[in-house]
Amino acid sequence: MGNDTQPKQRIVTDAEAGYITRVEELAYELRIQEVMTRDVKTVSPDMQMGAVLEVFRRARISGAPVVHKGRLVGIVSIEDLIHALRGGDVAAPASEYMSERVITVKSSHPVIEALKIFTQEKVGRLPVVDDEGKLVGILTKGDITRGLLRALQSDYQEEELKKYRVSHLFADIASDRTSLILRYNVKARDFAHGGRASSDIKRALMRLGANPQIARRCGIAVYEAEMNLIIHTTEGGVIQVEIEPHQIVMETTDTGPGIEDIELAMKPGYSTAPEEVRELGFGAGMGLKNIQRCVDAMTLESTPGKGTRLEMRIYLQPDEAFSGAAHAREGKAQ
Amino acid sequence: MKLQEIIALIDGEVLTKTDSLAREIKGGCGADLMSDVLASIQPDAVLLTGLCNPQVVRTAQMADVAAIVLVRGKKPPRETIELADQENIPVISTPYGMFESCGRLHRAGLPSLENTVG
């Protein structure tokens, strides 16, 4: 049992099963009534097995609930039909070959409940009943797969649409030089929110359609810079990111205390971070070195007592540029 | 190697609401200094660490870490788990130490995804 023969009701393949694992959440969110087949073909207990075969063939199904006076009394499957055919017993009533033990699911329950039953019991389909116990549909693994894929696709389309809209920003707006500026205020010693700005920046870049490698380099560099503002500044600072089709410029500025010896600060392993910061896994004296490794150009200016400005630039190669960049350049060349 | 296999190898306990246990992990990296992680890790690795503050999750997110393993049976503060759930990065706790955990995974064929830092 459990193997549907019609192409319409195919079995869950390994690839789909893998997909389902990732969308387990959806299996909890989706209700059975959202994925079930509503048009249920039923048979009566006194219908001859030969007639049952005809119903299956016409409707292209491999099983049907047996209903007597509006009440669910059993379920008959293609395997039961094979038994009857093998014995040349096609004139026997369905009640003789059907399984009387019927497991049903409620239409208002989450899909996961049905999935659990499918893994525990050897059944190919589950009649679906409403809260009053009335038969309202039927559910196969194929219905679940299709329902989940449909829900997944609409999630995906939504994100794609968002991405599409944002990534066309540069193409849709005409100017001699278009850029998008993001600003974040970072508080000193605010370890609890450390990295939040960087996380938002990385997400924004991904939405804009940045190549993952570029988003990663920007994320790491700006994260180290953000942590520096939190660890070292007296009053926090500001992160500004300017995104243009051909480059990303990230800048952090603060009002002090400033760096006494920039050359020494750049030296790997040199750190002035206090013990509590080291306990968080920071302050190893690698931050600026890491930033330098991730960006194409880095400028560090500091005046003791006044403040520090760190500029990090990443140049985008033509194949990495945000969509619309080529269009913008063409426009400029004219 | 699937995350599920990694969890089995280190007798791990999943602490997050993770639904991606079938996720493919390309390799591993062990570090306690977040800057070391940022400097040396390649994408899609499992990060083994003894640190359990929320910065671990932020670091993981920046460095495209696929999953975090906390060694020596550490139980992280609630904020770490919340952030990990929000960013959808699985966090796993193992009773073994750093050396033992890395050793088990490496012996089972999980390659190192640590860049040599020159």
Side-chain angles (χ1 to χ4, degrees):
Chain A
M1 275 215 191
N3 287 9
D4 293 315
T5 44
Q6 294 79 6
K8 196 181 141 243
Q9 298 183 322
R10 63 208 160 88
I11 317 158
V12 184
T13 66
D14 281 356
E16 285 163 356
Y19 215 30
I20 288 169
T21 321
R22 283 204 295 283
V23 294
E24 220 172 334
E25 227 176 78
L26 273 175
Y28 286 90
E29 280 172 22
L30 281 179
R31 305 280 131 191
I32 287 170
Q33 60 203 15
E34 294 173 74
V35 303
M36 69 183 188
T37 299
R38 284 171 188 278
D39 178 24
V40 201
K41 288 276 174 291
T42 60
V43 297
S44 68
D46 50 12
M47 186 186 266
Q48 291 187 343
M49 287 305 269
V52 171
L53 171 69
E54 200 53 26
V55 171
F56 281 15
R57 199 182 62 77
R58 285 227 182 116
R60 299 181 64 80
I61 54 174
S62 57
V66 184
V67 176
H68 180 60
K69 289 182 182 163
R71 213 168 55 83
L72 190 63
V73 293
I75 190 154
V76 64
S77 74
I78 204 136
E79 297 209 347
D80 301 325
L81 205 51
I82 290 167
H83 283 153
L85 286 171
R86 196 182 279 154
D89 201 11
V90 288
S95 57
E96 222 165 273
Y97 283 92
M98 69 181 190
S99 323
E100 284 175 28
R101 180 173 164 264
V102 189
I103 307 166
T104 60
V105 285
K106 280 205 170 156
S107 58
S108 58
H109 283 182
V111 165
I112 187 76
E113 296 302 325
L115 278 175
K116 280 184 206 157
I117 295 172
F118 277 128
T119 41
Q120 285 160 7
E121 309 279 344
K122 295 192 91 199
V123 293
R125 63 199 53 73
L126 291 165
V128 183
V129 295
D130 63 11
D131 290 334
E132 281 84 53
K134 202 178 130 237
L135 184 72
V136 290
I138 192 149
L139 189 71
T140 63
K141 284 186 254 182
D143 289 328
I144 296 181
T145 309
R146 274 189 299 277
L148 286 173
L149 288 175
R150 205 165 46 227
L152 198 64
Q153 194 182 16
S154 78
D155 276 5
Y156 174 76
Q157 275 170 347
E158 232 165 73
E159 177 63 23
E160 283 297 292
L161 192 64
K162 245 181 226 163
K163 242 186 181 168
Y164 175 84
R165 283 195 186 131
V166 184
S167 65
H168 277 63
L169 191 76
F170 292 111
D172 292 347
I173 295 170
S175 90
D176 286 337
R177 188 174 166 186
T178 305
S179 72
L180 177 66
I181 295 181
L182 316 174
R183 288 189 193 85
Y184 303 86
N185 297 321
V186 179
K187 285 193 201 134
R189 328 300 293 171
D190 185 12
F191 292 104
H193 297 116
R196 195 165 60 173
S198 306
S199 162
D200 288 343
I201 292 166
K202 189 178 181 192
R203 192 169 298 126
L205 290 171
M206 298 294 280
R207 283 229 166 119
L208 281 163
N211 146 330
Q213 186 67 25
I214 295 289
R216 183 171 200 257
R217 284 167 60 199
C218 287
I220 292 176
V222 78
Y223 180 48
E224 291 278 14
E226 183 180 358
M227 290 312 293
N228 278 347
L229 290 179
I230 292 171
I231 297 167
H232 298 291
T233 59
T234 38
E235 285 169 15
V238 175
I239 302 175
Q240 176 172 309
V241 182
E242 182 168 10
I243 304 159
E244 291 185 71
H246 63 287
Q247 69 171 1
I248 299 163
V249 183
M250 300 176 288
E251 184 192 65
T252 63
T253 46
D254 65 68
T255 53
I259 302 168
E260 291 286 345
D261 186 339
I262 290 185
E263 207 177 312
L264 192 59
M266 286 295 300
K267 230 176 106 180
Y270 177 81
S271 176
T272 56
E275 192 52 41
E276 53 159 332
V277 170
R278 290 172 196 249
E279 276 169 17
L280 289 173
F282 287 88
M286 290 303 297
L288 288 171
K289 208 72 206 165
N290 265 353
I291 293 173
Q292 204 171 33
R293 196 176 292 120
C294 287
V295 301
D296 295 317
M298 176 175 124
T299 315
L300 180 61
E301 298 160 350
S302 190
T303 313
K306 286 248 166 110
T308 303
R309 179 181 163 273
L310 171 67
E311 189 191 272
M312 301 160 280
R313 259 171 213 272
I314 289 186
Y315 302 116
L316 305 177
Q317 300 305 312
D319 62 326
E320 298 164 340
F322 291 105
S323 46
H327 170 86
R329 267 199 291 275
E330 273 167 30
K332 232 189 263 177
Q334 283 168 2
Chain B
M1 189 181 285
K2 294 247 191 298
L3 184 55
Q4 192 85 67
E5 296 170 56
I6 289 176
I7 294 169
L9 283 167
I10 56 173
D11 297 332
E13 181 195 345
V14 183
L15 305 176
T16 44
K17 285 185 276 183
T18 305
D19 56 4
S20 48
L21 298 184
R23 188 169 177 174
E24 190 65 32
I25 307 289
K26 290 193 187 148
C29 166
D32 280 349
L33 286 174
M34 292 301 105
S35 288
D36 283 350
V37 176
L38 294 171
S40 71
I41 199 169
Q42 295 163 42
D44 302 317
V46 57
L47 168 65
L48 293 93
T49 184
L51 281 176
C52 49
N53 57 67
Q55 297 310 323
V56 174
V57 181
R58 286 292 183 212
T59 303
Q61 190 196 0
M62 291 307 140
D64 299 323
V65 164
I68 301 166
V69 170
L70 304 177
V71 298
R72 292 183 290 276
K74 292 223 171 144
K75 288 289 176 332
R78 197 174 34 110
E79 298 83 54
T80 302
I81 299 299
E82 281 171 4
L83 189 61
D85 275 331
Q86 186 189 319
E87 300 300 340
N88 201 17
I89 299 175
V91 176
I92 292 130
S93 177
T94 171
Y96 303 110
M98 177 72 101
F99 186 81
E100 174 77 25
S101 306
C102 292
R104 279 169 179 252
L105 299 182
H106 202 275
R107 200 164 52 222
L110 190 74
S112 161
L113 275 193
E114 291 169 1
N115 277 325
T116 322
V117 178

